[in-house]
Amino acid sequence: MNLIGQGILAALRMLASGDAELVRVTLLTIRVAGTATLLSILVGIPLGCLLALARFPGREFMISLVNAGMGTPPVVAGLVVSLLLWRSGPFGYLKLMYTPTAMIIAQFIIALPLVTGFSLAGIGQLNPKLHDQILALGASRWQLYWLLIREARLSLLAAVIGGFGGVISEVGASTMVGGNILGRTRVLTTATVMEVSKGNFDIAIALSIILMLLIWFVTYALTRLQQRGRPQ
């Protein structure tokens, strides 16, 4: 308990003093996780809607890949990105290894199946008769898609929360492709692991508290937005 108390005090000191390294690490955490989540939304929601509404050969196979991707360990994503971006890999000439961009790519791969899967489930649970009713009112195919997305907006916001939660908390992929380099690729999760390995448990607890506060703030804002759209 004394160690936990020290960690809480360390977190308060770091927040009160505006620790420069803490600010840098936190901002990079937000930048990497936020960009990866945004990219997964731009790709995952349309893909989830397509899989839910369209019928084409190979659809079930693609859905199985999405479902498998939702349970894939983050270190696998880190390994794939490492193999692609390593100097001898197909994209090694881009020199992206151990950069925030490599971390964003890895986290995008982690978040994409989550956002796609939740979007697929959200659109898929709508009443099939709703499709026919919208089309009967003269809506075009694109208008149909847009109205269905609006109808499933609560589920789609859950997809965003799930995607963000999946990447903001991961460690393995970020360490593999980012290297946890001070002032360049160190984020809150990798910094916490490093402090634990050094035996600085009070600092590790402080970083964990700050990470949880960040996660709570973002998810609280998204939850407020989600609940605001719920019928009274």
Side-chain angles (χ1 to χ4, degrees), residues 4 7-9 11-12 15 192 202-215:
I4 295 175
I8 295 174
L9 290 176
L12 292 175
L15 288 171
T192 300
D202 55 340
I203 302 299
I205 292 172
L207 291 172
S208 297
I209 291 172
I210 293 166
L211 175 61
M212 290 305 301
L213 287 174
L214 173 61
I215 293 173

Side-chain angles (χ1 to χ4, degrees), residues 45-204:
I45 290 181
L47 181 57
C49 294
L50 174 66
L51 291 174
L53 300 174
R55 297 294 181 270
F56 54 88
R59 174 178 175 271
E60 290 186 0
F61 175 73
M62 290 187 64
I63 292 176
S64 71
L65 290 179
V66 171
N67 292 334
M70 294 177 72
T72 300
V75 290
V76 174
L79 175 61
V80 171
V81 175
S82 295
L83 293 174
L84 292 175
L85 299 183
W86 201 252
R87 282 172 294 187
S88 57
F91 301 105
Y93 65 93
L94 296 175
K95 298 181 179 179
L96 293 177
M97 275 297 289
Y98 304 128
T99 66
T101 301
M103 299 168 67
I104 291 171
I105 294 172
Q107 292 192 7
F108 166 72
I109 293 174
I110 295 168
L112 180 59
L114 296 170
V115 175
T116 304
F118 281 121
S119 300
L120 169 61
I123 297 292
Q125 71 181 1
L126 295 177
N127 191 332
K129 294 181 180 180
L130 182 62
H131 306 187
D132 299 331
Q133 292 174 351
I134 294 174
L135 291 175
L137 292 173
S140 66
R141 182 63 59 175
W142 289 108
Q143 288 174 326
L144 168 66
Y145 292 158
W146 173 247
L147 290 172
L148 291 177
I149 288 174
R150 288 190 59 187
E151 190 69 21
R153 62 188 180 279
L154 299 181
S155 298
L156 297 181
L157 276 170
V160 175
I161 294 172
F164 176 78
V167 296
I168 192 71
S169 58
E170 76 82 28
V171 159
S174 295
T175 301
M176 292 175 70
V177 304
N180 195 28
I181 303 172
L182 179 64
R184 188 177 180 189
T185 60
R186 182 166 297 170
V187 292
L188 286 170
T189 50
T190 59
T192 300
V193 172
M194 183 193 67
E195 295 299 339
V196 170
S197 67
K198 292 164 60 177
N200 298 328
F201 292 103
D202 55 340
I203 302 299

Side-chain angles (χ1 to χ4, degrees), residues 37 41 153-154 156-165 214-229:
T37 303
I41 292 169
R153 62 188 180 279
L154 299 181
L156 297 181
L157 276 170
V160 175
I161 294 172
F164 176 78
L214 173 61
I215 293 173
W216 174 82
F217 179 79
V218 174
T219 53
Y220 176 74
L222 291 173
T223 301
R224 285 290 302 271
L225 182 62
Q226 182 189 48
Q227 295 304 310
R228 189 178 300 170

Side-chain angles (χ1 to χ4, degrees), residues 8-30:
I8 295 174
L9 290 176
L12 292 175
R13 284 196 300 269
M14 294 169 75
L15 288 171
S17 64
D19 184 85
E21 182 58 26
L22 174 63
V23 171
R24 182 162 47 244
V25 169
T26 302
L27 289 178
L28 182 60
T29 302
I30 296 172

